[in-house]
Amino acid sequence: KGDNILTAITSLTATEIAQKIKARELSASEVVEAHVRRIEEVNPRLNAVVIPLFEQARQQAKDADAAQRRGDALGLLHGVPVTIKEQFLVKDTATSFGLLHQKNHRATEDGPLVKRLRDAGAIILGKTNTAQLLFFIESDNELYGRTNNPWNLERSPGGSSGGEAAIIAAGGSPLGLGADFGGSIREPAHFCGVQGLKPTAGRLTNFDTRPGFTSWGLLEGLPPQSGPMARSVADLALAMNVLAAPGLERVDPSVPPVPWPNWKDVSVRGLRIAMYTDDGYFKASPAIRRVVTEAADALRALGAQVEPWTPPDVNEAMRFFFSISAADAFNGLRHALGSDKPAPQISGMLQSGNMPGLMRKFVAGMMRNSGQIRLSHIVAQTGGRSTEAYWQLLEERNTYRLRFLSAMEAGRFDAIICPPTSLPAVLHGSTTHLPDFDSYARLFNVLGMPAGVVAASRVRAGEESDRPSSKDPVERAASQVEKGSIGLPVGVQVAARHWREDVVLAVMSALESRFRTQADYPTQPPI
């Protein structure tokens, strides 16, 4: 009976928890204890929560209950347990980026977004694992080790916010704070069967993380964006009501005072929505293509006008992503890495960035001639640039953004639905050989547009792969990931114009309602 009660509590959404605590149907202490016990049950197999803060959380829950008994005003997240990605500043905890030589770091105060969550009444259960230096789509590093996917322990939950996605999917946390530089919220959400939102670039501050631990000087070109992860779309909106509340520009003057829109004011009926299942850069797996098509049908049934569309030149967008990322020849990453050994997933990239120009051209040509077409393109793009060449690159990027928005305007599209990425949850270590499988997510980082992922279905028998045989090692690695993928979650990505997160959330909510009715909706992983 006790276990049933714990399961009932950890199955609740953050919105439901907040409502039940406010109505005194549950206490904050009961809710926190249930989630602590769930983390203790699953974390030995997942390794998702790497900095537990359980005793602090228990005390804060007692304080929250006492405040409620006194009749104090309650915040939107009063008593709601949350987890925080390790990269964020949480007072008295490490923000190490998975680096051994940074294990003794301790933040002296909470970052602005973490503080907003606390001020709204949220109770932090712990911090979750990331990729080393946040720089690849797995959550693995020498300091904390490897995080496993709750749907299949031989698979990765993604990265760099993979620890968040894994523990949320497993019921250890109803709500989390992640960050997205190249799909780092959306791909883990897709891999683990949860929901995630990357707001418009610049919507939220980046002051919550330590400077100097990635090539932050380059992020004018690819600004990262923090955002929420949860098991329901309503919870994403609830979190954003806190994170994007007025006044953030007083903390960080680079944040424009754009009001946070109410997603419930948006009707899906009448929206014009573009859809595509192939971006022309990397073929998506059959199950992923299926759910995007099903999403289009569901939205049409709700009165939206959904039309097939081809996004402008995604190859060009990926050139910007790799070229901007490597414009300093990855010297910023090397400096941050210090005495730590680079993870295999980034060591090749660091070597490529360090090549002299003529050698890079020669190596790229040799790779192309040997059938390594995709890798040859990346090697050619990942060299250092002069300041003048970097600003020229950003100008070209801006021109591409305008071209993309003009194409949306020509179709009068309010939103886009497409794959989150080309594959379901990857095998551990496989992203060493898959440097560019995530073009679907990275496109919206290049554009700076808001985008979210909504859980949809699971890979069915007979739709693991239809990828043709290839000599290209990247394509072969993709086929290997697809093999044995039956049962893994898949999601749909939704994007909209800048500052229109309300449209993203409204479309995601409509799709969530539709997909939840299906038998293979990814509700409870087998852990």
Side-chain angles (χ1 to χ4, degrees):
K1 184 178 179 181
D3 288 343
N4 290 339
I5 293 173
L6 293 177
T7 300
I9 292 174
T10 58
S11 297
L12 296 172
T13 66
T15 301
E16 291 167 339
I17 289 170
Q19 291 170 345
K20 287 182 179 294
I21 290 176
K22 185 177 181 180
R24 300 181 186 271
E25 296 174 21
L26 288 171
S27 68
S29 293
E30 289 173 318
V31 171
V32 165
E33 189 62 32
H35 285 87
V36 167
R37 289 175 65 176
R38 180 59 177 167
I39 292 172
E40 289 175 338
E41 178 186 359
V42 300
N43 205 54
R45 286 169 285 170
L46 293 181
N47 189 38
V49 177
V50 293
I51 302 177
L53 299 171
F54 299 157
E55 292 311 311
Q56 292 180 31
R58 287 178 171 124
Q59 183 58 54
Q60 289 163 15
K62 290 178 183 178
D63 295 342
D65 291 332
Q68 187 171 13
R69 287 193 296 270
R70 290 194 303 269
D72 294 357
L74 306 183
L76 288 176
L77 296 174
H78 181 84
V80 176
V82 302
T83 41
I84 306 291
K85 185 178 179 181
E86 202 265 7
Q87 79 172 76
F88 292 101
L89 296 170
V90 175
K91 187 177 180 180
D92 297 327
T93 70
T95 298
S96 69
F97 294 77
L99 298 170
L100 284 168
H101 76 278
Q102 291 295 323
K103 65 181 180 180
N104 294 323
H105 166 265
R106 296 294 181 270
T108 57
E109 60 184 357
D110 291 336
L113 298 179
V114 172
K115 184 176 187 301
R116 285 190 160 208
L117 293 173
R118 282 202 206 267
D119 288 348
I123 297 172
I124 299 175
L125 297 169
K127 298 180 74 174
T128 54
N129 205 19
T130 74
Q132 183 190 58
L133 288 171
L134 318 179
F135 227 71
F136 54 96
I137 306 299
E138 297 183 55
S139 292
D140 191 1
N141 57 75
E142 282 197 287
L143 178 57
Y144 298 120
R146 186 184 80 187
T147 300
N148 300 319
N149 190 310
W151 289 92
N152 183 331
L153 300 181
E154 298 304 312
R155 302 269 174 163
S156 173
S160 58
S161 307
E164 278 302 313
I167 202 61
I168 291 169
S173 172
L175 183 65
L177 181 62
D180 195 310
F181 167 67
S184 294
I185 287 173
R186 290 161 291 149
E187 291 180 68
H190 162 68
F191 285 178
C192 294
V194 299
Q195 335 293 3
L197 176 69
K198 179 194 80 69
T200 304
R203 166 73 77 176
L204 300 177
T205 181
N206 284 316
F207 283 3
D208 275 71
T209 194
R210 295 175 68 190
F213 282 85
T214 188
S215 302
W216 293 110
L218 305 182
L219 299 183
E220 174 71 23
L222 293 169
Q225 188 55 80
S226 303
M229 304 174 75
R231 290 192 300 274
S232 82
V233 174
D235 286 357
L236 301 180
L238 174 65
M240 288 301 295
N241 285 337
V242 172
L243 297 170
L248 197 56
E249 71 279 1
R250 293 198 294 270
V251 176
D252 180 353
S254 71
V255 175
V258 179
W260 176 249
N262 185 353
W263 67 286
K264 291 187 176 180
D265 291 339
V266 175
S267 173
V268 170
R269 180 174 296 279
L271 288 181
R272 286 186 55 79
I273 300 174
M275 67 86 70
Y276 60 92
T277 59
D278 189 344
D279 66 358
Y281 185 86
F282 207 118
K283 182 179 179 180
S285 299
I288 301 171
R289 303 198 307 268
R290 166 177 60 83
V291 295
V292 174
T293 300
E294 290 176 353
D297 292 341
L299 293 170
R300 290 187 184 106
L302 292 172
Q305 301 175 50
V306 184
E307 296 182 7
W309 188 65
T310 301
D313 201 354
V314 174
N315 284 274
E316 185 76 346
M318 292 307 100
R319 178 176 73 86
F320 295 132
F321 185 89
F322 287 109
S323 298
I324 292 171
S325 299
D328 69 340
F330 298 121
N331 286 327
L333 289 177
R334 287 191 190 85
H335 175 76
L337 194 63
S339 59
D340 281 44
K341 179 182 177 181
Q345 293 91 334
I346 64 173
S347 60
M349 182 176 61
L350 294 177
Q351 292 173 11
S352 173
N354 215 22
M355 290 181 190
L358 288 177
M359 179 182 291
R360 179 178 300 101
K361 186 174 181 180
F362 174 76
V363 170
M366 292 289 289
M367 296 175 80
R368 185 168 54 252
N369 292 337
S370 67
Q372 300 180 67
I373 306 300
R374 291 188 174 279
L375 289 173
S376 71
H377 290 324
I378 294 169
V379 167
Q381 294 160 2
T382 52
R385 293 172 181 263
S386 66
T387 302
E388 181 181 1
Y390 175 66
W391 288 113
Q392 176 62 36
L393 185 64
L394 293 192
E395 185 175 334
E396 294 170 5
R397 188 279 320 267
N398 290 342
T399 300
Y400 176 80
R401 283 182 173 179
L402 292 175
R403 181 152 63 100
F404 191 97
L405 293 173
S406 294
M408 283 190 71
E409 186 64 27
R412 296 181 292 113
F413 293 124
D414 303 293
I416 299 167
I417 58 171
C418 64
T421 188
S422 56
L423 299 170
V426 296
L427 295 160
H428 291 300
S430 63
T431 60
T432 304
H433 311 290
L434 288 166
D436 65 343
F437 77 102
D438 43 5
S439 56
Y440 296 89
R442 287 176 173 174
L443 172 65
F444 298 107
N445 294 97
V446 171
L447 295 166
M449 292 166 58
V453 165
V454 57
S457 181
R458 286 180 281 156
V459 180
R460 297 172 182 170
E463 61 177 10
E464 287 177 277
S465 181
D466 58 1
R467 199 170 300 277
S469 60
S470 173
K471 294 182 179 180
D472 191 307
V474 175
E475 292 289 344
R476 291 203 303 269
S479 295
Q480 193 64 31
V481 166
E482 291 170 330
K483 183 180 179 181
S485 62
I486 292 172
L488 294 177
V490 288
V492 173
Q493 182 169 212
V494 180
R497 295 169 183 267
H498 297 80
W499 313 110
R500 294 309 307 268
E501 291 92 346
D502 54 340
V503 173
V504 174
L505 291 169
V507 174
M508 287 177 67
S509 180
L511 293 177
E512 179 185 37
S513 296
R514 167 66 177 84
F515 285 126
R516 280 191 187 276
T517 65
Q518 297 186 164
D520 58 0
Y521 182 81
T523 303
Q524 181 62 50
I527 188 169

